[in-house]
Amino acid sequence: MTENPFFAASPLVYELPPYAEIREEHYLPAYERGTAEQLAEIAAITDDRSEPTFENTLVALERSGELLDRVDRVFRNQSSSDTTELLEEVEAKVSPLLAAHHDAIHLDRRLFARIEALHGDRAALGLDPESLRLLERWYTAFVRSGARLGSAEQDRLRELNAELAALGTTFQQNVNAATRAAALVVDTAEELAGLSEGAIAGAAENARVLGHEGRYVLSLKSTSTQPELAQLADRSVRERLLAASLARAGAENGPLAIRMAGLRAERAALLGFPNHAAHVVADETAGTVEAVSGLLARLVEPAVANARREAAELAAVAAADGVEEIAAHDWAYYSEKVRQASYQVDTAALRPYFELERVLVDGVFFAAGLAYGITFTERPELTAHHPDARVFEVFEEDGTALGLFIGDFHARASKRGGAWMDELVGQSGLTGRRPVVLNTLNVPRPAPGEPALLSWDEVRTLFHEFGHALHGLFSDVRYPLFAGTAVPRDFVEFPSQVNEMWMVRPEVLANYARHHATGEPLPAELVERMTAAERFGEGFRTVEYLAATLLDWAWHTLPQGHRVEDAQEFEARVLAEAGLAVAAIPPRYRTPYFQHIFSSGYSAGYYAYIWSEVLDADTVRWFETNGRSVRDSGELFRRELLARGFGRDPLESFRAVVGRAPETAPLLERRGLG
């Protein structure tokens, strides 16, 4: 395949992948050649008869695998955002291939011997701080991957990694298929009473696209609770929608979850850890299982108490409708009623003020300009991975080119649920590459000719994911291993959560929150009421999050040999024992569709969101009270934290900004748990 576009670096600006030339059949040959090329490059390092040096071993290792890196970045995004049957077939083949390739490198005894020799002599090498850190991180990565194990143990480790990779892909594909199949189809607009005219029109358009002409389809989002539950007036429709969401992939993925948890426990034991969580967290900022368990335990009781107070308020309102007991499918609906009655807030009435284009340009981009001085120019002549996706060039305050940002915002059947950020090209001082980053959301597509209006939560998601994008765009490290968001899982969400603060900053909100038809600004007092109303919902949000987090933790603190017979029974027991068996608040993700932990790299890491929020809440307070201008604060945050990636200890970067270790008080205050 001499014409495979992956076989050479892209000639486009910033090495943007040449999507106009890429075909599905290019991926597998590129993966196969890419893995072979990197193994040849590794062999060149280990065959070198000269003494190992930082340059001939570590720098050579950093430079290896360029073809594999090119294809893998593009494929991972493509298979998530616009998958096909062929891409799913490729994914099923590639997952175990990559697991085996990772093992071939990290279990290479000759390569580890060179790294180990350098590590033992590191004090005498005269390395600068980032280079010394590179040596330490590669040494740690090899040890954590089993480089010190005996041959028999390494053989078993390879088997475990291969099976886990294959199962993770199957789990993901099962969720995708189940989510598509579980979309709620209704026959009449009357069944959707309570939704806005635009939302009903969007459901009709969704039905047309999915082959249900003349009907209405509500496609499921990735979480348990669906956003339409807050508006749907028909209780039976609400019940059907939530039931469809909660039942996804149970038969297919329950057994897979059991198997994967068992394999992970066995792998952890091989590597010298009591369980998978201990292995994972040892290399995170949290450090120990006890540190994570302690934080979570502190939050459960006040969160549940807060939720029960909220439930009492909901029950009082629901009683007027003859509802004797609040069920899970009632919570969002009556929460909306309470907000309207107690805070005079109708979240559906906010949507006309949040038109997607305006939120993006006059909100997200505007805030980035205020804090960091950057500007954006759309490049419509550049082709992205899907016609929906838009490409923007990003410039520094002085006009210097910084990189590319791609936005892919609308939901479609070929896209997995949720929202995420990808780095299609990673920044590297070693190669001179500048970043190409991408945000993906799942905003429902409006009917033709209608504006795309966002919910309050979708506005927050847009700001959140752009925080990840900034982390990638501002990366300024020498070595690819440290670039952008390549930081610990319990730190990576921190910058994105900080970026959410801009959505309600008065100077930013006033610039984007305007009625799409009249141009009228969102009334300031409505924002104040909305902020107060959000505090009302913190009990629900914290409980649903903690329930999912403790499910993850329970699956991954299982010791080797512990047998779970039934995933659903295990889940129920875990929540009951944790004090989180609140019938009206399902976990944010149930086991069978918990993609974060079974197919997306967050196993024993879903706690990262609350752990990162400790840093986030503390940093937001710093932004508000440090006495500097927004621009000066932004520059310090960028220079000392966002730009550093994993090139130094992340908590050291935090201290360089805030001036001290993180404190939990701002988080507890924010969530009403203090």
Side-chain angles (χ1 to χ4, degrees), residues 116-199:
E116 189 172 35
L118 290 169
H119 187 260
D121 199 32
R122 61 192 181 281
L125 296 179
L127 298 175
D128 64 82
E130 189 179 341
S131 297
L132 178 59
R133 184 166 177 82
L134 184 75
L135 172 56
E136 291 173 339
R137 289 306 307 166
W138 271 115
Y139 175 78
T140 299
F142 271 71
V143 172
R144 286 177 55 80
S145 298
R148 286 178 166 169
L149 296 178
S151 296
E153 289 82 3
Q154 286 190 352
D155 288 344
R156 178 57 182 154
L157 186 63
R158 289 186 177 93
E159 293 172 356
L160 291 170
N161 288 337
E163 185 174 357
L164 280 166
L167 291 175
T169 297
T170 302
F171 189 99
Q172 173 73 61
Q173 292 179 357
N174 286 346
V175 174
N176 292 345
T179 299
R180 289 192 296 268
L184 181 65
V185 183
V186 299
D187 295 321
T188 67
E190 287 72 24
E191 293 171 273
L192 301 182
L195 298 186
S196 68
E197 290 183 7

Side-chain angles (χ1 to χ4, degrees), residues 507-521:
E507 65 271 42
V508 178
L509 191 71
N511 200 59
Y512 76 84
R514 292 181 174 272
H515 196 285
H516 73 94
T518 67
E520 173 191 2

Side-chain angles (χ1 to χ4, degrees), residues 28 31-32 35 68 92-103 162 165:
L28 190 56
Y31 268 115
E32 292 170 342
T35 53
L68 180 58
K93 295 176 182 177
V94 162
S95 294
L97 172 70
L98 291 179
H101 182 69
H102 176 277
D103 287 340

Side-chain angles (χ1 to χ4, degrees), residues 29-370:
Y31 268 115
E32 292 170 342
R33 182 182 289 195
T35 53
E37 280 189 7
Q38 187 170 29
L39 291 179
E41 291 161 345
I42 297 300
I45 297 171
T46 57
D47 288 345
D48 189 339
R49 294 179 177 272
S50 60
E51 290 295 312
T53 66
F54 183 80
E55 287 291 328
N56 71 18
T57 302
L58 272 301
V59 173
L61 184 56
E62 281 290 281
R63 290 186 180 278
S64 72
E66 287 207 352
L67 168 55
L68 180 58
D69 183 65
R70 274 197 302 274
V71 65
D72 191 50
R73 288 175 183 270
V74 175
F75 180 77
R76 281 187 288 112
N77 172 66
Q78 193 74 38
S79 61
S80 296
S81 62
D82 191 26
T83 194
T84 65
E85 288 186 11
L86 179 56
L87 290 183
E88 289 188 344
E89 291 174 9
V90 172
E91 189 176 29
K93 295 176 182 177
V94 162
S95 294
L97 172 70
L98 291 179
H101 182 69
H102 176 277
D103 287 340
I105 294 173
H106 288 82
L107 302 180
D108 186 317
R109 296 193 184 280
R110 293 195 301 162
L111 181 58
F112 179 60
R114 295 177 72 91
I115 294 172
E116 189 172 35
L118 290 169
H119 187 260
D121 199 32
R122 61 192 181 281
L125 296 179
L127 298 175
D128 64 82
E130 189 179 341
S131 297
L132 178 59
R133 184 166 177 82
L134 184 75
L135 172 56
E136 291 173 339
R137 289 306 307 166
W138 271 115
Y139 175 78
T140 299
F142 271 71
V143 172
R144 286 177 55 80
S145 298
R148 286 178 166 169
L149 296 178
S151 296
E153 289 82 3
Q154 286 190 352
D155 288 344
R156 178 57 182 154
L157 186 63
R158 289 186 177 93
E159 293 172 356
L160 291 170
N161 288 337
E163 185 174 357
L164 280 166
L167 291 175
T169 297
T170 302
F171 189 99
Q172 173 73 61
Q173 292 179 357
N174 286 346
V175 174
N176 292 345
T179 299
R180 289 192 296 268
L184 181 65
V185 183
V186 299
D187 295 321
T188 67
E190 287 72 24
E191 293 171 273
L192 301 182
L195 298 186
S196 68
E197 290 183 7
I200 293 173
E205 173 64 12
N206 193 28
R208 185 193 64 78
V209 170
L210 296 176
H212 298 282
E213 190 77 45
R215 304 173 81 188
Y216 303 83
V217 174
L218 299 180
S219 291
L220 298 184
K221 313 301 184 294
S222 60
T223 51
S224 294
T225 300
Q226 301 298 306
E228 295 87 355
L229 293 172
Q231 276 82 44
L232 286 167
D234 188 323
R235 194 180 189 213
S236 66
V237 175
R238 296 200 305 268
E239 185 174 16
R240 288 167 55 201
L241 179 61
L242 184 59
S245 178
L246 297 178
R248 279 176 287 170
E252 304 92 338
N253 280 352
L256 289 188
I258 292 171
R259 178 65 178 164
M260 292 180 75
L263 294 175
R264 285 169 175 169
E266 182 183 350
R267 182 174 62 184
L270 262 182
L271 295 169
F273 291 87
N275 51 59
H276 179 68
H279 177 246
V280 169
V281 81
D283 203 38
E284 304 291 320
T285 65
T288 66
V289 167
E290 291 73 23
V292 176
S293 298
L295 175 64
L296 298 179
R298 288 175 57 197
L299 298 176
V300 169
E301 186 175 344
V304 171
N306 198 354
R308 294 200 188 284
R309 287 192 294 271
E310 293 173 5
E313 291 191 54
L314 302 185
V317 176
D321 290 346
V323 175
E324 296 181 0
E325 184 177 356
I326 293 291
H329 53 270
D330 296 319
W331 192 291
Y333 182 75
Y334 286 105
S335 291
E336 190 68 15
K337 296 281 190 184
V338 169
R339 291 189 181 98
Q340 292 175 20
S342 300
Y343 304 97
Q344 292 78 55
V345 169
D346 179 358
T347 56
L350 294 176
R351 282 183 180 269
Y353 293 93
F354 300 140
E355 193 271 321
L356 172 59
E357 182 70 11
R358 184 143 200 165
V359 176
L360 177 67
V361 175
D362 296 336
V364 172
F365 289 173
F366 175 75
L370 284 180

